[in-house]
Amino acid sequence: METATKRKSPSRKSSPVQVVTQMHDYHPALFLAQYHHRTHKGDRFDLEGYPYLRQPLDDGVQRIVVKKSTQGGWTEMLIIKAMAQVLRGLSVFWALPTDVVKSRFVKNRFDRSVAYTEIYREAQRGEETQVSRFNPAASMSLKHFGAGALAFVGSNSISGFGEFPADIGIDDEHDYCDKDNLPMIEERLSNSAHRLRWSVGNPTISGLGISKLYAESTQGRWMIEADCGHWIAPTWKTHVVREVDAMTYEVRDPDWEGPDGPDARLVCDQCGKPVNRFGGG
């Protein structure tokens, strides 16, 4: 697992430009996560409690495909990864399933995170305030931070795919996006020297959508090392429950106290002992 060298956080009085300069010789997304980013609830992004998020957060490859589970931290990581590029002066084109989903995401997740995160607020251009005041619909679609920008679109609206040169293209909740319009994201990246492309989503049908994209990728998986030295890629039926009868399962963790207690622990399929899911590499 890649870890970042700890550095002193810049002064709160540093301008966004000064902070961005420091980000260039550092891991920019990790930098924001460790020192600046706040969630839509105003909380810190907990890399100490969830160290396994470091590697995907800091992954800088050109094409990323994520077949994820729910509540895995990827929505927050996408915001951080996108803002790390925007603060460096790049532009992000971010597609969500529909205009309704887009507006809800921007208003309830993105804008609230910006409001709680000082470095984002300071970098946001002054005209954004005027746009939000006089044209709320427009403020849900386009955001400017310094020299960078984000365009949010609903994949069901073909008009949203024009007139925005981008460096990074994101399709979020891939399986629910309009498949006929997603190829137009590549057109938005055609003049960029970066052309970073990220597809993220919960799989719905095996062999299709995000599941198919993942199958065509390098198929990297997060592995956790058990005490016995066996490396596991956690799955529900192998490490959390066992089938004791047809469609009947029991929890593998011998100390599980039931639904009202703490979550059941992963159990190694080799040695049968609980596994520390915060470890791994």
Side-chain angles (χ1 to χ4, degrees), residues 75-280:
T75 296
E76 211 64 46
M77 283 195 286
L78 277 180
I79 295 174
I80 297 171
K81 288 169 73 71
M83 287 304 298
Q85 301 299 332
V86 169
L87 292 180
R88 298 171 68 191
L90 302 185
S91 295
V92 175
F93 187 86
W94 193 326
L96 293 111
T98 67
D99 282 323
V100 172
V101 173
K102 174 203 73 176
S103 296
R104 186 167 63 230
F105 170 78
V106 173
K107 185 174 182 180
N108 294 332
R109 293 295 296 265
F110 185 82
D111 282 353
R112 292 176 68 182
S113 181
V114 170
Y116 281 119
T117 306
E118 185 176 4
I119 188 175
Y120 301 162
R121 295 197 314 272
E122 291 181 350
Q124 193 167 30
R125 289 193 196 168
E127 62 263 28
E128 292 292 329
T129 302
Q130 298 300 321
V131 169
S132 299
R133 182 179 302 167
F134 297 111
N135 190 350
S139 71
M140 294 293 106
S141 301
L142 188 60
K143 308 284 184 180
H144 293 94
F145 297 85
L150 293 100
F152 294 98
V153 303
S155 70
N156 63 326
S157 176
I158 192 170
S159 62
F161 284 82
E163 300 302 325
F164 186 82
D167 302 292
I168 301 98
I170 303 173
D171 57 283
D172 195 355
E173 293 299 344
H174 177 89
D175 283 17
Y176 297 97
C177 287
D178 189 316
K179 302 304 183 295
D180 292 333
N181 292 337
L182 286 184
M184 288 189 287
I185 293 179
E186 306 298 334
E187 297 176 14
R188 299 298 96 219
L189 308 179
S190 60
N191 290 324
S192 172
H194 303 277
R195 299 184 186 179
L196 302 179
R197 187 75 173 82
W198 308 336
S199 298
V200 178
N202 296 89
T204 56
I205 302 176
S206 180
L208 296 176
I210 199 72
S211 180
K212 181 177 184 294
L213 291 178
Y214 175 77
E216 295 169 349
S217 74
T218 56
Q219 299 184 42
R221 303 182 72 183
W222 181 256
M223 306 291 286
I224 301 176
E225 186 177 17
D227 289 343
C228 66
H230 177 57
W231 288 86
I232 69 172
T235 63
W236 181 256
K237 291 185 178 180
T238 303
H239 305 103
V240 182
V241 299
R242 65 168 62 87
E243 189 170 12
V244 295
D245 204 348
M247 301 301 293
T248 303
Y249 301 88
E250 67 177 14
V251 174
R252 292 178 179 270
D253 183 357
D255 299 323
W256 188 57
E257 299 175 359
D260 296 331
D263 291 343
R265 296 171 295 178
L266 298 171
V267 172
C268 176
D269 55 303
Q270 294 289 317
C271 67
K273 295 181 179 179
V275 177
N276 174 20
R277 67 186 179 94
F278 298 112

